[in-house]
Amino acid sequence: MSTTHSEQAPREDLELRARADHHASLRLWLRLLSCTTLVEDTVRQKLREEFGITLPRFDLMAQLERHPDGLTMGELSRRMMVTGGNITTIVDQLEKEHLVARQIGVNDRRSYTVSLTADGREAFAGMAAAHEAWVASLFGGLSQAQQSQLHGLLGALKSHLQPR
């Protein structure tokens, strides 16, 4: 008998790999990964349960929502940091559901520009509102001051990590 994703054992908590004698930076890295995984897993499950959509499909629609004139397949691939083949598969699926449309490129007839359809914009608006509520709930265990402090600390880390 097969099990669904929600019936499977939860993923190992990455932070459990850390030991007290590990460097504090390593423990912090594993805690960040663990938190990211927990949030992402919850969002994936809710998207699947409530909208029947995968996180990569949601992410692609989010990219297109930010660019009403559409994006080329190559731009989508770069922005989502996945292969062109993956983008093609996702676009094919969304196109069959009439959520996106492909148009031949104006300047390069070998390329396609992808944009949300009216149905796609409407569907995404509902998903985005739910997504925002889920994320707010997931971070709701932290006060506004704690969220602001964490945001600032992660911003400082991000600045330090940026290439100079």
Short mmCIF file of all heavy atoms in Angstrom, two decimals, residues 47-108:
data_model
loop_
_atom_site.label_atom_id
_atom_site.label_comp_id
_atom_site.label_asym_id
_atom_site.label_seq_id
_atom_site.Cartn_x
_atom_site.Cartn_y
_atom_site.Cartn_z
N LEU A 47 0.10 24.44 -0.56
CA LEU A 47 -0.16 24.73 -1.97
C LEU A 47 -0.78 23.51 -2.66
O LEU A 47 -1.73 23.63 -3.43
CB LEU A 47 1.12 25.14 -2.70
CG LEU A 47 1.62 26.55 -2.48
CD1 LEU A 47 3.03 26.72 -3.04
CD2 LEU A 47 0.67 27.57 -3.10
N ARG A 48 -0.23 22.35 -2.35
CA ARG A 48 -0.74 21.11 -2.95
C ARG A 48 -2.17 20.82 -2.48
O ARG A 48 -3.04 20.52 -3.28
CB ARG A 48 0.21 19.96 -2.61
CG ARG A 48 -0.05 18.68 -3.34
CD ARG A 48 1.01 17.60 -3.10
NE ARG A 48 1.57 17.52 -1.77
CZ ARG A 48 2.76 18.02 -1.40
NH1 ARG A 48 3.53 18.63 -2.28
NH2 ARG A 48 3.20 17.91 -0.17
N GLU A 49 -2.39 20.92 -1.17
CA GLU A 49 -3.70 20.59 -0.60
C GLU A 49 -4.79 21.58 -1.01
O GLU A 49 -5.91 21.19 -1.32
CB GLU A 49 -3.62 20.53 0.92
CG GLU A 49 -2.85 19.33 1.43
CD GLU A 49 -2.62 19.38 2.94
OE1 GLU A 49 -2.98 20.40 3.59
OE2 GLU A 49 -2.09 18.39 3.47
N GLU A 50 -4.48 22.86 -0.95
CA GLU A 50 -5.51 23.88 -1.15
C GLU A 50 -5.68 24.32 -2.60
O GLU A 50 -6.76 24.78 -2.98
CB GLU A 50 -5.25 25.09 -0.25
CG GLU A 50 -5.37 24.71 1.21
CD GLU A 50 -5.34 25.89 2.15
OE1 GLU A 50 -5.71 27.01 1.73
OE2 GLU A 50 -4.93 25.70 3.31
N PHE A 51 -4.61 24.18 -3.40
CA PHE A 51 -4.69 24.68 -4.78
C PHE A 51 -4.30 23.63 -5.81
O PHE A 51 -4.34 23.91 -7.01
CB PHE A 51 -3.83 25.93 -4.94
CG PHE A 51 -4.29 27.09 -4.09
CD1 PHE A 51 -3.64 27.40 -2.91
CD2 PHE A 51 -5.40 27.84 -4.45
CE1 PHE A 51 -4.06 28.45 -2.12
CE2 PHE A 51 -5.84 28.89 -3.67
CZ PHE A 51 -5.17 29.20 -2.49
N GLY A 52 -3.83 22.47 -5.38
CA GLY A 52 -3.41 21.44 -6.32
C GLY A 52 -2.25 21.89 -7.19
O GLY A 52 -2.19 21.54 -8.38
N ILE A 53 -1.34 22.67 -6.62
CA ILE A 53 -0.22 23.21 -7.40
C ILE A 53 1.08 22.96 -6.65
O ILE A 53 1.10 22.89 -5.42
CB ILE A 53 -0.42 24.72 -7.69
CG1 ILE A 53 0.52 25.19 -8.80
CG2 ILE A 53 -0.29 25.55 -6.44
CD1 ILE A 53 0.15 26.54 -9.37
N THR A 54 2.16 22.81 -7.39
CA THR A 54 3.47 22.61 -6.78
C THR A 54 4.13 23.96 -6.51
O THR A 54 3.78 24.98 -7.11
CB THR A 54 4.39 21.79 -7.71
OG1 THR A 54 4.62 22.55 -8.91
CG2 THR A 54 3.78 20.42 -8.04
N LEU A 55 5.12 23.94 -5.62
CA LEU A 55 5.86 25.17 -5.33
C LEU A 55 6.57 25.72 -6.56
O LEU A 55 6.53 26.93 -6.80
CB LEU A 55 6.82 24.95 -4.16
CG LEU A 55 7.59 26.16 -3.67
CD1 LEU A 55 6.67 27.31 -3.28
CD2 LEU A 55 8.49 25.77 -2.49
N PRO A 56 7.22 24.89 -7.39
CA PRO A 56 7.85 25.44 -8.59
C PRO A 56 6.84 26.12 -9.54
O PRO A 56 7.14 27.16 -10.14
CB PRO A 56 8.51 24.24 -9.27
CG PRO A 56 8.76 23.28 -8.14
CD PRO A 56 7.60 23.47 -7.20
N ARG A 57 5.66 25.56 -9.67
CA ARG A 57 4.64 26.19 -10.52
C ARG A 57 4.19 27.51 -9.92
O ARG A 57 4.02 28.51 -10.63
CB ARG A 57 3.46 25.24 -10.72
CG ARG A 57 3.85 24.03 -11.58
CD ARG A 57 2.77 22.98 -11.63
NE ARG A 57 1.61 23.50 -12.33
CZ ARG A 57 0.41 22.93 -12.33
NH1 ARG A 57 0.22 21.81 -11.66
NH2 ARG A 57 -0.57 23.46 -13.00
N PHE A 58 4.01 27.54 -8.59
CA PHE A 58 3.65 28.79 -7.90
C PHE A 58 4.75 29.83 -8.10
O PHE A 58 4.48 31.00 -8.40
CB PHE A 58 3.43 28.51 -6.40
CG PHE A 58 3.20 29.75 -5.58
CD1 PHE A 58 1.94 30.31 -5.49
CD2 PHE A 58 4.24 30.35 -4.89
CE1 PHE A 58 1.72 31.45 -4.74
CE2 PHE A 58 4.04 31.49 -4.13
CZ PHE A 58 2.77 32.04 -4.05
N ASP A 59 6.02 29.41 -7.93
CA ASP A 59 7.14 30.33 -8.09
C ASP A 59 7.21 30.90 -9.51
O ASP A 59 7.48 32.10 -9.69
CB ASP A 59 8.46 29.63 -7.76
CG ASP A 59 8.64 29.37 -6.27
OD1 ASP A 59 7.91 29.96 -5.45
OD2 ASP A 59 9.51 28.54 -5.92
N LEU A 60 6.95 30.08 -10.50
CA LEU A 60 6.96 30.57 -11.89
C LEU A 60 5.85 31.60 -12.08
O LEU A 60 6.07 32.66 -12.68
CB LEU A 60 6.81 29.41 -12.87
CG LEU A 60 6.99 29.81 -14.33
CD1 LEU A 60 7.78 28.75 -15.08
CD2 LEU A 60 5.66 30.04 -15.01
N MET A 61 4.67 31.30 -11.55
CA MET A 61 3.56 32.25 -11.67
C MET A 61 3.89 33.55 -10.93
O MET A 61 3.54 34.64 -11.40
CB MET A 61 2.27 31.63 -11.15
CG MET A 61 1.76 30.51 -12.04
SD MET A 61 0.26 29.72 -11.40
CE MET A 61 -0.96 31.00 -11.79
N ALA A 62 4.60 33.46 -9.80
CA ALA A 62 5.00 34.66 -9.06
C ALA A 62 5.95 35.51 -9.89
O ALA A 62 5.83 36.75 -9.90
CB ALA A 62 5.64 34.26 -7.73
N GLN A 63 6.89 34.88 -10.59
CA GLN A 63 7.78 35.63 -11.47
C GLN A 63 6.99 36.37 -12.54
O GLN A 63 7.25 37.54 -12.83
CB GLN A 63 8.81 34.69 -12.12
CG GLN A 63 9.85 34.15 -11.19
CD GLN A 63 10.77 35.24 -10.66
OE1 GLN A 63 11.09 36.22 -11.35
NE2 GLN A 63 11.19 35.08 -9.43
N LEU A 64 6.03 35.68 -13.13
CA LEU A 64 5.24 36.29 -14.21
C LEU A 64 4.32 37.39 -13.68
O LEU A 64 4.08 38.38 -14.37
CB LEU A 64 4.43 35.22 -14.94
CG LEU A 64 5.26 34.18 -15.69
CD1 LEU A 64 4.36 33.12 -16.30
CD2 LEU A 64 6.13 34.84 -16.75
N GLU A 65 3.84 37.23 -12.45
CA GLU A 65 2.97 38.25 -11.87
C GLU A 65 3.73 39.56 -11.71
O GLU A 65 3.17 40.64 -11.87
CB GLU A 65 2.43 37.75 -10.52
CG GLU A 65 1.30 38.58 -9.95
CD GLU A 65 1.78 39.75 -9.12
OE1 GLU A 65 2.90 39.71 -8.58
OE2 GLU A 65 1.02 40.73 -9.03
N ARG A 66 5.02 39.47 -11.42
CA ARG A 66 5.86 40.67 -11.25
C ARG A 66 6.23 41.31 -12.59
O ARG A 66 6.74 42.42 -12.61
CB ARG A 66 7.15 40.29 -10.51
CG ARG A 66 6.94 39.96 -9.07
CD ARG A 66 8.30 39.68 -8.39
NE ARG A 66 8.08 38.85 -7.23
CZ ARG A 66 8.36 37.56 -7.16
NH1 ARG A 66 8.90 36.93 -8.18
NH2 ARG A 66 8.12 36.88 -6.06
N HIS A 67 6.00 40.59 -13.69
CA HIS A 67 6.36 41.07 -15.03
C HIS A 67 5.17 40.90 -15.96
O HIS A 67 5.12 39.93 -16.73
CB HIS A 67 7.60 40.33 -15.55
CG HIS A 67 8.80 40.57 -14.71
ND1 HIS A 67 9.12 39.79 -13.63
CD2 HIS A 67 9.75 41.55 -14.78
CE1 HIS A 67 10.22 40.26 -13.07
NE2 HIS A 67 10.61 41.32 -13.74
N PRO A 68 4.21 41.81 -15.91
CA PRO A 68 2.98 41.66 -16.70
C PRO A 68 3.20 41.52 -18.20
O PRO A 68 2.37 40.92 -18.88
CB PRO A 68 2.19 42.94 -16.39
CG PRO A 68 2.78 43.47 -15.13
CD PRO A 68 4.21 43.00 -15.09
N ASP A 69 4.31 42.04 -18.73
CA ASP A 69 4.60 41.90 -20.16
C ASP A 69 5.20 40.55 -20.49
O ASP A 69 5.44 40.25 -21.66
CB ASP A 69 5.53 43.02 -20.64
CG ASP A 69 4.87 44.38 -20.58
OD1 ASP A 69 3.62 44.44 -20.64
OD2 ASP A 69 5.59 45.38 -20.44
N GLY A 70 5.44 39.74 -19.47
CA GLY A 70 5.97 38.40 -19.67
C GLY A 70 7.48 38.34 -19.58
O GLY A 70 8.16 39.36 -19.52
N LEU A 71 7.98 37.13 -19.55
CA LEU A 71 9.41 36.86 -19.51
C LEU A 71 9.72 35.77 -20.53
O LEU A 71 8.88 34.90 -20.79
CB LEU A 71 9.82 36.36 -18.11
CG LEU A 71 9.71 37.36 -16.97
CD1 LEU A 71 9.87 36.65 -15.63
CD2 LEU A 71 10.75 38.46 -17.12
N THR A 72 10.93 35.82 -21.06
CA THR A 72 11.34 34.75 -21.97
C THR A 72 11.59 33.48 -21.15
O THR A 72 11.79 33.54 -19.93
CB THR A 72 12.62 35.10 -22.75
OG1 THR A 72 13.70 35.19 -21.82
CG2 THR A 72 12.45 36.39 -23.54
N MET A 73 11.60 32.37 -21.84
CA MET A 73 11.88 31.10 -21.17
C MET A 73 13.27 31.16 -20.52
O MET A 73 13.46 30.70 -19.40
CB MET A 73 11.81 29.95 -22.17
CG MET A 73 10.45 29.79 -22.82
SD MET A 73 9.21 29.08 -21.77
CE MET A 73 9.57 27.34 -21.99
N GLY A 74 14.24 31.76 -21.20
CA GLY A 74 15.59 31.90 -20.65
C GLY A 74 15.61 32.76 -19.40
O GLY A 74 16.32 32.45 -18.44
N GLU A 75 14.85 33.86 -19.42
CA GLU A 75 14.79 34.71 -18.23
C GLU A 75 14.17 33.96 -17.06
O GLU A 75 14.64 34.07 -15.92
CB GLU A 75 13.97 35.98 -18.53
CG GLU A 75 14.70 36.96 -19.42
CD GLU A 75 13.79 38.08 -19.92
OE1 GLU A 75 12.56 37.86 -20.06
OE2 GLU A 75 14.31 39.17 -20.16
N LEU A 76 13.12 33.20 -17.32
CA LEU A 76 12.50 32.40 -16.26
C LEU A 76 13.50 31.39 -15.70
O LEU A 76 13.59 31.22 -14.48
CB LEU A 76 11.26 31.67 -16.79
CG LEU A 76 10.01 32.52 -16.95
CD1 LEU A 76 8.96 31.78 -17.79
CD2 LEU A 76 9.45 32.89 -15.58
N SER A 77 14.24 30.75 -16.56
CA SER A 77 15.24 29.77 -16.14
C SER A 77 16.28 30.43 -15.24
O SER A 77 16.62 29.89 -14.18
CB SER A 77 15.89 29.15 -17.37
OG SER A 77 16.88 28.24 -17.00
N ARG A 78 16.78 31.59 -15.64
CA ARG A 78 17.79 32.30 -14.83
C ARG A 78 17.21 32.75 -13.50
O ARG A 78 17.84 32.58 -12.45
CB ARG A 78 18.34 33.50 -15.60
CG ARG A 78 19.39 33.14 -16.62
CD ARG A 78 20.06 34.36 -17.22
NE ARG A 78 19.14 35.21 -17.98
CZ ARG A 78 18.73 34.95 -19.21
NH1 ARG A 78 19.12 33.86 -19.84
NH2 ARG A 78 17.91 35.78 -19.84
N ARG A 79 16.03 33.33 -13.53
CA ARG A 79 15.43 33.85 -12.29
C ARG A 79 15.10 32.73 -11.30
O ARG A 79 15.20 32.92 -10.10
CB ARG A 79 14.17 34.64 -12.60
CG ARG A 79 14.46 35.96 -13.28
CD ARG A 79 13.16 36.60 -13.77
NE ARG A 79 13.43 37.76 -14.59
CZ ARG A 79 13.55 38.99 -14.11
NH1 ARG A 79 13.37 39.21 -12.84
NH2 ARG A 79 13.81 39.99 -14.92
N MET A 80 14.69 31.59 -11.81
CA MET A 80 14.31 30.49 -10.94
C MET A 80 15.47 29.54 -10.67
O MET A 80 15.35 28.61 -9.87
CB MET A 80 13.12 29.74 -11.53
CG MET A 80 11.87 30.62 -11.53
SD MET A 80 10.43 29.79 -12.22
CE MET A 80 10.19 28.46 -11.05
N MET A 81 16.59 29.77 -11.35
CA MET A 81 17.81 28.97 -11.18
C MET A 81 17.56 27.48 -11.42
O MET A 81 17.99 26.63 -10.63
CB MET A 81 18.42 29.23 -9.81
CG MET A 81 18.89 30.66 -9.66
SD MET A 81 19.69 31.01 -8.09
CE MET A 81 18.29 31.13 -6.98
N VAL A 82 16.82 27.19 -12.49
CA VAL A 82 16.60 25.80 -12.91
C VAL A 82 16.85 25.72 -14.40
O VAL A 82 16.93 26.73 -15.10
CB VAL A 82 15.16 25.30 -12.57
CG1 VAL A 82 14.93 25.29 -11.07
CG2 VAL A 82 14.11 26.14 -13.26
N THR A 83 16.94 24.51 -14.91
CA THR A 83 17.26 24.32 -16.33
C THR A 83 16.09 24.74 -17.21
O THR A 83 14.94 24.79 -16.77
CB THR A 83 17.58 22.85 -16.62
OG1 THR A 83 16.39 22.07 -16.43
CG2 THR A 83 18.70 22.33 -15.75
N GLY A 84 16.42 25.01 -18.45
CA GLY A 84 15.39 25.34 -19.43
C GLY A 84 14.38 24.22 -19.59
O GLY A 84 13.19 24.47 -19.79
N GLY A 85 14.85 22.98 -19.49
CA GLY A 85 13.94 21.83 -19.60
C GLY A 85 12.90 21.82 -18.49
O GLY A 85 11.73 21.51 -18.72
N ASN A 86 13.34 22.17 -17.28
CA ASN A 86 12.38 22.25 -16.16
C ASN A 86 11.36 23.34 -16.41
O ASN A 86 10.16 23.16 -16.14
CB ASN A 86 13.11 22.53 -14.85
CG ASN A 86 13.87 21.33 -14.33
OD1 ASN A 86 13.65 20.21 -14.76
ND2 ASN A 86 14.79 21.57 -13.42
N ILE A 87 11.81 24.49 -16.90
CA ILE A 87 10.89 25.60 -17.19
C ILE A 87 9.89 25.18 -18.26
O ILE A 87 8.70 25.44 -18.13
CB ILE A 87 11.67 26.86 -17.63
CG1 ILE A 87 12.52 27.39 -16.47
CG2 ILE A 87 10.73 27.94 -18.15
CD1 ILE A 87 11.75 27.82 -15.25
N THR A 88 10.37 24.53 -19.30
CA THR A 88 9.48 24.08 -20.37
C THR A 88 8.39 23.17 -19.83
O THR A 88 7.21 23.32 -20.17
CB THR A 88 10.29 23.37 -21.48
OG1 THR A 88 11.23 24.31 -22.02
CG2 THR A 88 9.39 22.87 -22.59
N THR A 89 8.77 22.23 -18.97
CA THR A 89 7.79 21.30 -18.40
C THR A 89 6.74 22.06 -17.58
O THR A 89 5.54 21.80 -17.72
CB THR A 89 8.50 20.26 -17.51
OG1 THR A 89 9.41 19.52 -18.32
CG2 THR A 89 7.51 19.31 -16.86
N ILE A 90 7.17 22.98 -16.75
CA ILE A 90 6.24 23.74 -15.92
C ILE A 90 5.33 24.60 -16.79
O ILE A 90 4.11 24.65 -16.58
CB ILE A 90 7.00 24.60 -14.89
CG1 ILE A 90 7.77 23.72 -13.92
CG2 ILE A 90 6.04 25.52 -14.13
CD1 ILE A 90 8.77 24.47 -13.05
N VAL A 91 5.91 25.29 -17.78
CA VAL A 91 5.11 26.14 -18.67
C VAL A 91 4.10 25.28 -19.44
O VAL A 91 2.93 25.67 -19.59
CB VAL A 91 6.00 26.96 -19.62
CG1 VAL A 91 5.18 27.63 -20.72
CG2 VAL A 91 6.78 28.02 -18.83
N ASP A 92 4.52 24.12 -19.92
CA ASP A 92 3.60 23.22 -20.63
C ASP A 92 2.39 22.89 -19.76
O ASP A 92 1.24 22.94 -20.21
CB ASP A 92 4.30 21.91 -21.02
CG ASP A 92 5.28 22.07 -22.17
OD1 ASP A 92 5.27 23.12 -22.84
OD2 ASP A 92 6.07 21.12 -22.38
N GLN A 93 2.64 22.56 -18.48
CA GLN A 93 1.55 22.21 -17.57
C GLN A 93 0.62 23.40 -17.34
O GLN A 93 -0.61 23.25 -17.40
CB GLN A 93 2.12 21.74 -16.22
CG GLN A 93 2.89 20.45 -16.29
CD GLN A 93 3.71 20.21 -15.02
OE1 GLN A 93 3.86 21.07 -14.16
NE2 GLN A 93 4.26 19.00 -14.93
N LEU A 94 1.20 24.55 -17.07
CA LEU A 94 0.38 25.74 -16.80
C LEU A 94 -0.38 26.20 -18.04
O LEU A 94 -1.49 26.71 -17.94
CB LEU A 94 1.26 26.87 -16.24
CG LEU A 94 1.84 26.63 -14.85
CD1 LEU A 94 2.86 27.71 -14.51
CD2 LEU A 94 0.74 26.58 -13.80
N GLU A 95 0.23 26.00 -19.21
CA GLU A 95 -0.42 26.37 -20.46
C GLU A 95 -1.64 25.48 -20.71
O GLU A 95 -2.70 25.96 -21.13
CB GLU A 95 0.57 26.27 -21.61
CG GLU A 95 0.10 26.93 -22.89
CD GLU A 95 1.20 26.96 -23.94
OE1 GLU A 95 1.94 25.97 -24.09
OE2 GLU A 95 1.30 27.99 -24.63
N LYS A 96 -1.53 24.19 -20.41
CA LYS A 96 -2.67 23.28 -20.56
C LYS A 96 -3.84 23.67 -19.67
O LYS A 96 -4.99 23.42 -20.00
CB LYS A 96 -2.24 21.84 -20.23
CG LYS A 96 -1.43 21.18 -21.31
CD LYS A 96 -1.02 19.77 -20.91
CE LYS A 96 -0.02 19.22 -21.92
NZ LYS A 96 0.63 18.00 -21.45
N GLU A 97 -3.52 24.28 -18.54
CA GLU A 97 -4.56 24.73 -17.60
C GLU A 97 -5.02 26.16 -17.90
O GLU A 97 -5.77 26.74 -17.12
CB GLU A 97 -4.04 24.61 -16.17
CG GLU A 97 -3.75 23.18 -15.77
CD GLU A 97 -3.08 23.07 -14.41
OE1 GLU A 97 -3.24 23.99 -13.58
OE2 GLU A 97 -2.39 22.06 -14.18
N HIS A 98 -4.51 26.75 -18.98
CA HIS A 98 -4.87 28.11 -19.40
C HIS A 98 -4.49 29.17 -18.37
O HIS A 98 -5.15 30.20 -18.27
CB HIS A 98 -6.36 28.20 -19.75
CG HIS A 98 -6.79 27.15 -20.73
ND1 HIS A 98 -6.44 27.21 -22.06
CD2 HIS A 98 -7.51 26.02 -20.56
CE1 HIS A 98 -6.94 26.15 -22.67
NE2 HIS A 98 -7.59 25.40 -21.79
N LEU A 99 -3.40 28.91 -17.62
CA LEU A 99 -2.94 29.87 -16.64
C LEU A 99 -1.82 30.74 -17.17
O LEU A 99 -1.59 31.84 -16.67
CB LEU A 99 -2.48 29.14 -15.36
CG LEU A 99 -3.57 28.33 -14.65
CD1 LEU A 99 -2.99 27.53 -13.49
CD2 LEU A 99 -4.70 29.24 -14.18
N VAL A 100 -1.10 30.26 -18.19
CA VAL A 100 -0.09 31.05 -18.87
C VAL A 100 -0.27 30.89 -20.38
O VAL A 100 -0.91 29.95 -20.84
CB VAL A 100 1.37 30.65 -18.48
CG1 VAL A 100 1.60 30.77 -16.99
CG2 VAL A 100 1.72 29.27 -18.99
N ALA A 101 0.31 31.83 -21.10
CA ALA A 101 0.30 31.77 -22.57
C ALA A 101 1.71 32.05 -23.06
O ALA A 101 2.45 32.83 -22.45
CB ALA A 101 -0.68 32.79 -23.14
N ARG A 102 2.07 31.41 -24.16
CA ARG A 102 3.37 31.62 -24.80
C ARG A 102 3.15 32.40 -26.09
O ARG A 102 2.25 32.07 -26.85
CB ARG A 102 3.97 30.27 -25.20
CG ARG A 102 4.97 29.71 -24.27
CD ARG A 102 5.57 28.45 -24.87
NE ARG A 102 4.80 27.31 -24.43
CZ ARG A 102 5.33 26.19 -23.99
NH1 ARG A 102 6.63 26.03 -23.99
NH2 ARG A 102 4.58 25.21 -23.59
N GLN A 103 4.01 33.39 -26.31
CA GLN A 103 3.99 34.13 -27.56
C GLN A 103 5.39 34.07 -28.16
O GLN A 103 6.38 34.12 -27.44
CB GLN A 103 3.61 35.62 -27.35
CG GLN A 103 2.23 35.86 -26.78
CD GLN A 103 2.20 35.79 -25.26
OE1 GLN A 103 3.18 36.09 -24.60
NE2 GLN A 103 1.08 35.36 -24.71
N ILE A 104 5.44 33.96 -29.48
CA ILE A 104 6.73 33.98 -30.17
C ILE A 104 7.39 35.33 -29.93
O ILE A 104 6.74 36.37 -29.99
CB ILE A 104 6.55 33.70 -31.68
CG1 ILE A 104 6.03 32.27 -31.88
CG2 ILE A 104 7.86 33.91 -32.43
CD1 ILE A 104 5.73 31.92 -33.31
N GLY A 105 8.69 35.29 -29.65
CA GLY A 105 9.43 36.51 -29.35
C GLY A 105 9.38 37.51 -30.49
O GLY A 105 9.43 37.15 -31.66
N VAL A 106 9.30 38.79 -30.13
CA VAL A 106 9.23 39.87 -31.13
C VAL A 106 10.56 40.02 -31.85
O VAL A 106 10.60 40.12 -33.06
CB VAL A 106 8.83 41.20 -30.44
CG1 VAL A 106 8.86 42.35 -31.42
CG2 VAL A 106 7.47 41.07 -29.78
N ASN A 107 11.65 40.02 -31.08
CA ASN A 107 12.97 40.24 -31.67
C ASN A 107 13.67 38.96 -32.07
O ASN A 107 14.62 38.99 -32.85
CB ASN A 107 13.86 41.01 -30.68
CG ASN A 107 13.30 42.39 -30.40
OD1 ASN A 107 12.69 43.01 -31.26
ND2 ASN A 107 13.48 42.85 -29.18
N ASP A 108 13.24 37.85 -31.54
CA ASP A 108 13.87 36.56 -31.84
C ASP A 108 12.77 35.51 -31.98
O ASP A 108 12.22 35.06 -30.99
CB ASP A 108 14.85 36.18 -30.73
CG ASP A 108 15.58 34.87 -31.01
OD1 ASP A 108 15.28 34.20 -32.03
OD2 ASP A 108 16.45 34.52 -30.20
#
